[in-house]
Each structure stands twice: as structure tokens, then as C-alpha cells.
Amino acid sequence: MLRTLLVSFCKMVFPPFPCFLNFWLREGSIRLAELASSTPDQSGDSFPSNETDSDSFMRDDEAPIPQSSPIFSTSDDPEEARLEAREVGKYLLAKSFFDCREFDRCAAVFIRLTPASSILSSLSPEAQNQTPTKATKGKGNANVESPGSMPKPHSPKLPRMSQKSLFLALYAKYMAGEKRKDEESEMILGPVDTGASINKELVGIAAILESWFDERISSGMYDRNQGWLEYLYGVVLKKANSEEEAKGYLIKSVRLNPYIWSAWVELHSLVPSIESLHLIIPKLPGNIMRFLFHIFASQTLSEATGDVQKLLDDLEKYFPHSAFVKTQRALLHYHIQDFQKTDQLFTSILQRDPHRLDDLDHYSHALFVQDDMPKLAFLAQLATATDKFRPETCCIVGNYYSKKSEHEKAVQYFKRALQLDRSFLAAWTLMGHEYVELKNTHAAIESYRRAVDINRQDFRAWYGLGQAYELLAMNHYALFYFQRAANLRPYDARFWQALGKCYTEIGRPEQAIKAYKRALSSGVAYIEPTSSFGSGASDYRDVFLSAELLYPVAMLYEQLGELDECARYMEMVVATEEGEDKLLEEGGGEEGQGTGTTDTTSLARSWLARWAFAKGDLARAKRLAEELCEDGKEVEDAQALIRDLTARMEKGGR
């Protein structure tokens, strides 16, 4: 009775408390959970006995298991419900440790991989005074372990426990390993932070899970799994770069339990392209979670097709006020660079829920590109007032300082975001941009590499690596990274334009022409950046036929000696002054706004004037030269050409 009362009190939902009471509330919950787990029960000691059956991985003592109760368990499986009822006290204690971020203590409630008694005994004076036996030389020494050798990880014999408790214990071990990995790295991009630190708990967790799965399969109980351990094993396999196997276990996890959203998110990170997404969708359970996953993956892969829009419309019919669904629509427009619509959608989300910080870092990127400094400043103030210790807040403030050209402060805030969450992808990429602005190319490259390590599908990081190596005049390296970015976003003209430039620099004009033509068939181009990375609003321009893409193609044809083709492209460059209606001679397409006279169109007009002069069309050459003089560009060349034309025409008149 006492145990039931303590457990019920531990599981009560407490009302909100002031911040200064949080510590005492956590300590109080731990004390209550300790009392609940230390009362006498039918299962014996608080910690499992070491006398387990050697033939079974999950066998424990033969003590009877209490009947389940809704107070102790909500599992539909009677066996799991009875196990959860037996270990409810220990589970609450472990959960209290986990909530306090004492991950090792949490795991030790159920699993003791390294008993504290053996550690303490090794530190006793008697143990320290023992003289080690000298190993004999020769072949007999083959089995003696060297001091620095690590024993091969093996699966310890665990007590019989519920899947919920086993998952909590192993996930706590995983989190403890992640915490130690971050502690070993110390400061962001410091002398110790080389990116080589690993989670040393992964091998042990994998061994336990493999043995547990084998036991379940051999006993015919695999179909009664709950999906949590499959999810954790998928995460471990992903960390070990076994992506296909990880994908298989994550699919098993969502099929067993479709409401583990973390499993869907991890599965999404293993989907590199739209084609892969279409292949994986039929393998997923047919419920609402699959539709949410489809939308979530589609917006990150920039697939703004009619089918995705229809899915969003259908979900909004059932969840008209869902901030998540509205955010997915906003992010879909963000990834296709429709920043105006992105602004409208995020504004409506903030009006309804002004303290929701999820994905607001993307909104700050859209405001940055739009040069909307007042809204960006307001967003930074709002996020800081809500929670200044969120990675999203630090990225928003970093974008604000970046827009003010205070790049050192921006780097500080991006580093702060990474101190809060080292896997926060946007912070690594944005910090790389800032290091490019500060001309610290090597730090920029390292930042981009960290972003790629977190998510190999991040085209911005690949593109940033290409730009950084381009600044170092290492064009072959830049070419590789631009190709990776173009493979991930084949319809983004910026990447094909960068490829064309790289091919030109390394002396491959044919490939450069193909890359520029591919850029011309896309919808957005990257035009003369105002900054090193080119994130200003003036850098993006509609490119149905952009002069900045047509002119390099023309010059490449001149380099190849194909002057007629060069002249054709130069004519198209000049025609961009008047817009698309001038370019489309047959009248197909809508009328577009021309660019007017630019440096690029003046260079093309100057080339055409010389071409006409060489072909003997003196009248056209003179007209083009006079237009150059009127435009005030290339004036000296135009005047010299007019003098030559006048002399030639006078000589011909005689």
C-alpha cells in the first residue's frame, strides 16, 4: 500500500513552479522515486541478481510477477504490463535521474555494465601493492593483453525487464556517451575540437540490442516488440555509417509504433533524394504519420509538387489550426525560395502562437535574404524574450548581427547555438558563411565540413565548401563540392553557374558551356554577390535568359573559335535590356521586364560592333558604337571604333 501511494504521488502532474523551485522539485521527485523503488516487493533486491541462467539473455529469478494495474502500466501486452508493474519504482527513479540529466545513474538503475565495487576494489591499497606477474617471452605471451588494449565488447547478462525500462537504460547510456563526447571536444573549433571524438557507448549498446533481438526472434516474440529499441538501434547504426541497415530498423520501428516521431525524423535524414523518398513511402504504415512524414521530407527536399500541396490542403482540413502543418507549408515555400509567401505564413503562425520558436531560424533566413531589417530585429527581440538559451534564438540573433555586418558577434552567437546543441545544422553552415566574410577560409571549411558530417544532404554546406576552395584558387576541389551540391539540387541555377565558372578556370570550355546552359534552364540565378557568400537580396534574380549567364557562354564559344554561335549569344545578351518579349522572337511566353543597360550588355554590344566591323557591316557597327557612347559605357573603345568606321567609310566613298 505504501509503495502504491508513493508511486501515485511520483506520477502526479505538478502545477507550474517558479524557476528557483525547479531544483528542489527535481530533488524531491528523486527522493520520492528512491523511496518507491526501495520498498519490499516480490521481485527481491532493487538491483538484479548476478545469478542468472547462462543459457538465456533475459532470464531472471523465478519470482512471481504482480498483476498489472493502470497505475503502473498502460501496455496492451499482458507480459509487458506485468513487467512494467514490477519495476515501476525503479522506472520512476531512473526517469527522475534522466530528467535531471544524470544519465549514468539512470542507466545504472537497470544495467550495471561496470560495477562500482570492482572499480573501488581496484583502488584499494592492497590492490595497488600487488606486484604484477611478469609475462614470459616467446609464443606463450600471445594471450597476454597489453596495458593499452581494450577488451572486446560483449553483451552482459541482463535481468528480465520490460522494453520500456530497457530502452530508457540504453538511451541513457547513449546520451551519456554523447555528453562525454561533447565534453572531450571542449570549445567549438578549439584546439581539441577536431571532430574526431566518438560516442564510446555505441559498441556496448549495439551488442546488447543485437543479443536482445536474437533472443526475441528465437523465442518467437519479435512481433510483440514496441518499436523503441528498433529506433535506438537504427540511431546506433546511423552513427556507425551503416545507413541501409539503419534505414531498415527505422522502418521496422515506425511500423511497430508509428507514433515515435523521432524515428521518422531519423529516417528522413537517410532519404537523399525525391526518388529515394518515393521508393520508401510504400514500405511505411498507412496512417496519418506517413502523410506527415511525406510532407516533412518533401519540404526539405524542395518538392513543391501538386501532390504535396494537396496533402497539405487535406491535412489543414482536419487540423486547421495546427502550427506544425502551417510551418511545413511555410518551409516548403522557403526551400523553393518563395520568400514573400514564407514571410506571410510565418507571420500568421507568430500571431497565433508568438512564443513558438520551432523553425523560426528559417524565417530569419528568409528575412535576411529579403533585406527586411525591421522584422529581423523584431524577431530577434521576440525570440530572446521567449528563451535566450535555445539554438534557434542564437541563430536568429546571429543572422541579425550578420545583417549589420558585425560578423564577429554573429560568430559568437552561432558558437553559442552549437554549445547548446552541437548537432544544430544551421549554426554550422551559417558560421561558415561568417568566416568567409571574415576571410578566415580555413575555419569556414571546417564549419562546412561539420555541417556535412551531420547531414550529407545539406546542399548549402557543399556549396559553401565549393566557394571556400574557390576563394583559395583550388578549383578542382571546388568543382567536386559544387557537383555534390548540384546533384542534391539539380534545379538550382546557382550551382550550375558555379560549375560553369570552375570548368572555365580549369580549361574545360565544353563542360562549362553545358553547365551554363543547364543554369539557363533553371529558374533562379546567383548574380554578382554583394558579399563573399552572396546572401543579400540583390544576389537572386529571375533568369529566364540572364545576361550574366549568356555572356560567359558567348565568350566560351569565342574561345572555341565558333564565332557565329558566339554572336548569337551576344545578341541575346543585348536583348535582355528589353526583356523576355524581345528574346522570344516567336512570341511564346509572357512579356518580361528588361534589365536596362548594364556593364554586361555594354560588353556584348561592344563585341557585336567589332564583329559587324570585321564582317563589313559598317552601318550596323557604327550604330552599335553610337549606342555605346549614349549609354556612357565602353566610351573610349566606342569612339575609337567610330573613328575607324568614319575613316573606312570616307575611304570607300572616294
Side-chain angles (χ1 to χ4, degrees):
M1 183 64 182
L2 174 62
R3 180 169 176 264
T4 303
L5 289 174
L6 288 169
V7 167
S8 302
F9 190 69
C10 288
K11 297 182 74 174
M12 287 176 59
V13 179
F14 291 90
F17 283 86
C19 293
F20 63 86
L21 290 179
N22 285 346
F23 172 78
W24 302 110
L25 180 60
R26 291 196 300 267
E27 288 295 310
S29 66
I30 290 176
R31 299 291 84 78
L32 287 170
E34 285 177 341
L35 289 173
S37 64
S38 61
T39 56
D41 56 22
Q42 294 177 325
S43 61
D45 298 332
S46 297
F47 290 101
S49 172
N50 292 328
E51 298 177 0
T52 56
D53 185 1
S54 60
D55 296 331
S56 176
F57 172 64
M58 295 297 290
R59 295 290 296 174
D60 197 6
D61 53 72
E62 299 299 329
I65 300 175
Q67 294 296 320
S68 62
S69 168
I71 296 178
F72 302 136
S73 174
T74 58
S75 176
D76 295 332
D77 187 346
E79 182 71 12
E80 285 292 321
R82 287 194 293 270
L83 288 171
E84 291 176 11
R86 185 183 69 176
E87 63 202 16
V88 64
K90 290 194 291 184
Y91 177 82
L92 290 173
L93 177 62
K95 185 64 167 61
S96 299
F97 288 145
F98 189 92
D99 292 340
C100 295
R101 299 184 62 82
E102 297 187 37
F103 302 121
D104 286 312
R105 290 185 74 186
C106 172
V109 172
F110 295 105
I111 303 173
R112 285 192 169 182
L113 299 180
T114 307
S117 58
S118 63
I119 298 176
L120 294 175
S121 62
S122 66
L123 298 177
S124 62
E126 292 81 3
Q128 292 179 358
N129 292 330
Q130 289 180 357
T131 304
T133 304
K134 292 185 179 181
T136 58
K137 294 183 180 180
K139 293 183 180 180
N141 195 27
N143 295 326
V144 179
E145 292 183 357
S146 63
S149 64
M150 293 290 292
K152 183 178 179 181
H154 63 280
S155 174
K157 292 181 174 61
L158 299 181
R160 189 181 182 188
M161 70 177 77
S162 66
Q163 297 179 49
K164 182 171 71 172
S165 297
L166 182 58
F167 171 77
L168 179 61
L170 293 181
Y171 191 70
K173 293 297 293 181
Y174 170 78
M175 292 299 296
E178 290 292 303
K179 183 180 177 182
R180 280 189 283 271
K181 182 184 75 171
D182 292 343
E183 290 170 351
E184 289 174 3
S185 300
E186 297 182 2
M187 61 182 296
I188 304 296
L189 294 185
V192 185
D193 186 18
T194 61
S197 300
I198 60 172
N199 186 338
K200 298 177 182 178
E201 303 290 343
L202 295 180
V203 176
I205 294 171
I208 292 174
L209 288 173
E210 287 168 4
S211 299
W212 190 85
F213 288 134
D214 291 342
E215 177 73 14
R216 298 287 286 189
I217 293 171
S218 62
S219 61
M221 299 175 63
Y222 190 83
D223 57 342
R224 296 165 63 181
N225 289 2
Q226 297 176 348
W228 297 101
L229 295 169
E230 284 79 5
Y231 155 68
L232 180 58
Y233 194 45
V235 172
V236 171
L237 290 172
K238 180 187 169 187
K239 290 280 187 180
N241 295 323
S242 301
E243 295 187 354
E244 287 302 318
E245 195 174 355
K247 192 185 299 183
Y249 272 92
L250 290 170
I251 291 174
K252 291 178 184 178
S253 174
V254 298
R255 290 182 70 88
L256 290 166
N257 188 346
Y259 301 107
I260 306 176
W261 180 245
S262 297
W264 293 99
V265 174
E266 293 292 342
L267 182 61
H268 149 263
S269 66
L270 298 174
V271 179
S273 63
I274 295 296
E275 293 75 15
S276 300
L277 177 63
H278 291 165
L279 289 174
I280 204 174
I281 287 293
K283 303 176 183 178
L284 303 176
N287 53 35
I288 192 171
M289 298 303 294
R290 185 176 76 173
F291 294 109
L292 290 174
F293 170 76
H294 193 175
I295 292 171
F296 178 71
S298 296
Q299 60 89 0
T300 56
L301 295 172
S302 308
E303 187 189 22
T305 61
D307 292 339
V308 177
Q309 296 286 356
K310 186 177 183 301
L311 280 176
L312 276 169
D313 294 338
D314 292 341
L315 280 174
E316 284 190 334
K317 290 178 183 178
Y318 295 100
F319 308 101
H321 305 301
S322 170
F324 175 81
V325 176
K326 291 181 181 295
T327 300
Q328 297 309 303
R329 187 182 292 278
L331 292 175
L332 188 64
H333 287 281
Y334 167 77
H335 287 299
I336 63 174
Q337 299 178 359
D338 185 359
F339 300 121
Q340 186 175 0
K341 185 65 175 177
T342 303
D343 185 5
Q344 295 173 2
L345 290 168
F346 270 114
T347 299
S348 65
I349 293 169
L350 284 174
Q351 288 173 349
R352 188 172 185 86
D353 189 355
H355 302 295
R356 186 179 189 273
L357 298 179
D358 297 343
D359 298 308
L360 283 190
D361 53 310
H362 293 90
Y363 183 32
S364 71
H365 305 336
L367 295 176
F368 186 100
V369 173
Q370 287 184 300
D371 283 328
D372 197 338
M373 194 63 179
K375 280 189 178 180
L376 184 57
F378 168 76
L379 187 64
Q381 291 177 347
L382 178 65
T384 303
T386 302
D387 188 352
K388 65 173 66 176
F389 297 109
R390 279 279 293 272
E392 294 88 346
T393 299
C394 296
C395 281
I396 293 169
V397 178
N399 273 334
Y400 169 75
Y401 282 115
S402 177
K403 198 64 182 175
K404 291 180 66 178
S405 297
E406 298 183 27
H407 302 297
E408 293 85 357
K409 274 191 174 181
V411 168
Q412 290 178 4
Y413 275 94
F414 293 138
K415 283 186 175 181
R416 186 176 299 177
L418 292 169
Q419 288 171 350
L420 295 168
D421 183 2
R422 284 182 182 253
S423 63
F424 198 72
L425 178 64
W428 285 113
T429 307
L430 292 171
M431 189 164 67
H433 299 350
E434 297 308 309
Y435 277 126
V436 170
E437 298 288 348
L438 294 169
K439 310 302 180 186
N440 190 346
T441 313
H442 297 289
I445 289 172
E446 184 61 25
S447 299
Y448 291 134
R449 287 193 187 281
R450 297 296 183 84
V452 168
D453 290 340
I454 295 171
N455 184 3
R456 301 189 69 81
Q457 315 308 323
D458 182 21
F459 61 89
R460 299 175 188 84
W462 289 113
Y463 183 50
L465 279 169
Q467 286 194 313
Y469 279 108
E470 190 178 32
L471 290 175
L472 295 174
M474 301 173 70
N475 291 297
H476 285 86
Y477 285 90
L479 181 65
F480 170 78
Y481 294 117
F482 286 142
Q483 286 173 338
R484 294 297 299 264
N487 288 336
L488 292 170
R489 287 286 293 266
Y491 302 109
D492 197 322
R494 291 173 295 166
F495 306 149
W496 296 107
Q497 186 179 6
L499 279 171
K501 186 176 180 182
C502 274
Y503 279 126
T504 302
E505 292 292 333
I506 63 177
R508 295 166 65 178
E510 293 86 356
Q511 287 84 355
I513 290 172
K514 291 179 181 178
Y516 279 121
K517 287 184 176 180
R518 182 67 181 268
L520 286 166
S521 66
S522 303
V524 173
Y526 182 61
I527 311 300
E528 291 303 320
T530 57
S531 64
S532 298
F533 186 76
S535 50
S538 59
D539 302 336
Y540 298 92
R541 192 178 301 168
D542 244 358
V543 291
F544 175 66
L545 284 175
S546 170
E548 280 75 10
L549 293 177
L550 292 165
Y551 185 77
V553 177
M555 297 305 295
L556 287 166
Y557 275 120
E558 183 185 36
Q559 181 180 340
L560 293 173
E562 301 181 23
L563 298 181
D564 291 333
E565 195 69 14
C566 174
R568 190 170 73 86
Y569 273 88
M570 289 295 186
E571 294 283 2
M572 287 192 283
V573 173
V574 174
T576 59
E577 295 179 343
E578 300 181 27
E580 294 175 10
D581 56 329
K582 180 69 175 178
L583 286 165
L584 297 176
E585 298 177 355
E586 298 180 359
E590 298 180 358
E591 181 177 351
Q593 183 179 0
T595 62
T597 303
T598 63
D599 292 339
T600 305
T601 58
S602 296
L603 288 171
R605 184 174 279 106
S606 177
W607 190 95
L608 287 171
R610 293 194 301 272
W611 168 254
F613 180 78
K615 299 285 286 185
D617 190 352
L618 303 182
R620 185 166 188 266
K622 185 176 181 180
R623 178 173 59 80
L624 290 170
E626 289 173 350
E627 289 176 0
L628 281 171
C629 293
E630 292 174 2
D631 295 338
K633 300 178 183 296
E634 305 291 330
V635 176
E636 293 182 1
D637 291 341
Q639 289 176 347
L641 183 59
I642 289 173
R643 286 194 296 269
D644 292 342
L645 285 168
T646 303
R648 177 75 67 86
M649 294 172 72
E650 289 177 354
K651 183 178 180 181
R654 295 195 189 98

